[in-house]
Amino acid sequence: MAVSNSREAVLAAARRSAMARGYNGLNFRDIAAEVGIKAPSIHHHFATKADLGAAVARRYWEDTVKQLVVISDEASEPLGALRRYPGIFRTSLSNDNRICLSSFMAAEYDDLPDEVKVEVQSFADVNVDWLSKLLVDANVVGPGESRNRARAIYAAVSGAQLFARGRADIALFDTMIDSYRAAGLLPA
């Protein structure tokens, strides 16, 4: 049990670190200090920084899938779920002006180990897949247009998050999302 708890604590600390500083900001010594263990103990769970980064990114997209399922389940109809989508990104901003871990890592793409790249791409894929399905279910676009529209929504919402973070202004995120709705990119 303690091993599992230690691993989970390392993953949680690494996630917070990566959301603040990206993959390149993952530091075993800092993570160990936050968790209250010695840095070499992290290697018991993750042999390399790449292993840790991939595990953090994988857990991040898996957690996002769970959030998307909750949104779908709680919404009375697909359009309502689509309206709630930007809230996932807003939540990160409301947590000490953090941005989506995968957005941060995607900006570092050229420097990422291959196993981390795969997980970062998976995050984008699960978002686009979910959006694409709901866009069709809500009759916003047809199946032939849904993936392109889903990619545009994903890019716009994550871009709004990045822009707002750069100004430490969550209200700017809200304004941009409202403008996307007014322009018709996001369902109103």
Side-chain angles (χ1 to χ4, degrees), residues 116-172:
V116 179
K117 287 179 181 179
V118 167
E119 302 304 337
V120 169
Q121 290 168 351
S122 292
F123 178 83
D125 292 343
V126 299
N127 278 268
V128 169
D129 291 347
W130 183 83
L131 286 164
S132 181
K133 179 186 180 318
L134 265 71
L135 286 165
V136 172
D137 291 350
N139 294 315
V140 173
V141 295
E145 304 168 60
S146 66
R147 290 202 63 78
N148 284 339
R149 179 71 169 271
R151 287 183 192 114
I153 291 170
Y154 172 71
V157 173
S158 61
Q161 183 190 54
L162 182 62
F163 198 85
R165 181 180 194 250
R167 296 188 173 46
D169 185 358
I170 198 167
L172 184 55

Side-chain angles (χ1 to χ4, degrees), residues 90 93 160 164 169-179 181:
R90 189 182 196 285
L93 285 170
D169 185 358
I170 198 167
L172 184 55
F173 176 82
D174 296 336
T175 300
M176 293 176 77
I177 296 303
D178 288 344
S179 70
R181 286 187 173 120

Side-chain angles (χ1 to χ4, degrees), residues 6-35 37 42 45-46 48-60 98-102 104-105 108:
S6 177
R7 183 180 194 283
E8 290 303 313
V10 168
L11 277 173
R15 178 178 176 149
R16 285 188 294 276
S17 179
M19 288 180 77
R21 295 180 291 282
Y23 175 79
N24 290 321
L26 287 178
N27 178 295
F28 277 39
R29 190 172 303 133
D30 293 344
I31 293 166
E34 182 179 335
V35 173
I37 60 175
I42 294 175
H45 306 291
F46 307 99
T48 66
K49 180 179 174 177
D51 292 336
L52 175 60
V56 168
R58 183 179 321 103
R59 174 68 61 84
Y60 191 76
R98 300 285 192 251
I99 62 168
C100 166
L101 178 139
S102 290
F104 212 139
M105 287 186 174
E108 303 172 295

Side-chain angles (χ1 to χ4, degrees), residues 74-86:
E74 290 178 352
S76 59
E77 35 98 23
L79 203 53
L82 287 166
R83 287 184 190 117
R84 288 186 53 194
Y85 177 71

